Amino acid sequence: MLNEPAKDGVLNRSINDLRVLLIEDDDFTRRLMSRLLQDLKVRHVWEASDGVSALAILRDHPEKVDLAICDLEMPRMSGLDLLHALRTATGNPLADLPVIVLTAHREADTVKRAIAYGISGYLVKPVSKADLVKRLAFVLQKGR
């Protein structure tokens, strides 16, 4: 996907510009999602196996992550706990970081809890390339 000029003459960002933090505890799913993102030619994919590792990456490289794709159920720190930490920390420069939730859950309560933290999208496992492209495009359209 190439950058296309916007109506106001400013270049729109494309999927190729994104620097994504992928947070998933299951090795197979993390490798699969990473491969899908690489196939889409995202600029960079950071990987974390839980919320604690994700927070360390975000703390060390806050300006280098444009979007997080985060599983909800993980050891040490769940996706909901990570969202809570991102959204409620005073003075957190990443409070508005777009987050796409990745989960096997379809329960309304789980979805509502994630939405309450201002997620940018929701992907249900197994994730298709087409669904991933739709969510990434929506985040790009919405902006930060």
Side-chain angles (χ1 to χ4, degrees):
M1 293 186 178
L2 301 174
N3 286 338
E4 297 175 12
K7 292 178 184 171
D8 61 0
V10 177
L11 286 177
N12 287 328
R13 294 184 71 195
S14 75
I15 289 174
N16 308 106
D17 298 319
L18 289 175
R19 296 167 299 184
V20 178
L21 173 56
L22 175 61
I23 312 151
E24 167 63 60
D25 63 316
D26 180 72
D27 289 337
F28 177 79
T29 303
R30 191 173 59 251
R31 283 194 309 269
L32 178 66
M33 288 298 298
S34 181
R35 181 60 180 202
L36 283 173
L37 290 164
Q38 290 170 10
D39 287 351
L40 294 173
K41 300 190 185 331
V42 299
R43 186 171 169 191
H44 188 80
V45 180
W46 300 84
E47 294 184 22
S49 60
D50 58 47
V52 173
S53 301
L55 281 177
I57 290 169
L58 291 169
R59 183 179 49 250
D60 294 344
H61 308 285
E63 73 288 348
K64 294 184 179 180
V65 177
D66 300 311
L67 163 75
I69 299 176
C70 182
D71 187 19
L72 284 182
E73 292 200 20
M74 298 177 289
R76 298 200 314 157
M77 178 184 268
S78 73
L80 287 174
D81 291 339
L82 175 62
L83 281 164
H84 178 78
L86 286 174
R87 301 298 192 236
T88 61
T90 304
N92 182 0
L94 295 169
D96 63 345
L97 178 72
V99 176
I100 297 173
V101 169
L102 175 65
T103 186
H105 291 281
R106 297 174 190 255
E107 295 88 20
D109 184 52
T110 304
V111 175
K112 286 178 187 174
R113 288 176 61 207
I115 289 171
Y117 284 118
I119 61 170
S120 302
Y122 197 85
L123 287 167
V124 177
K125 298 175 193 176
V127 176
S128 73
K129 193 173 188 177
D131 285 342
L132 179 58
V133 168
K134 285 180 197 175
R135 294 293 176 257
L136 294 175
F138 177 76
V139 168
L140 285 167
Q141 194 175 47
K142 186 177 173 186
R144 200 164 179 176

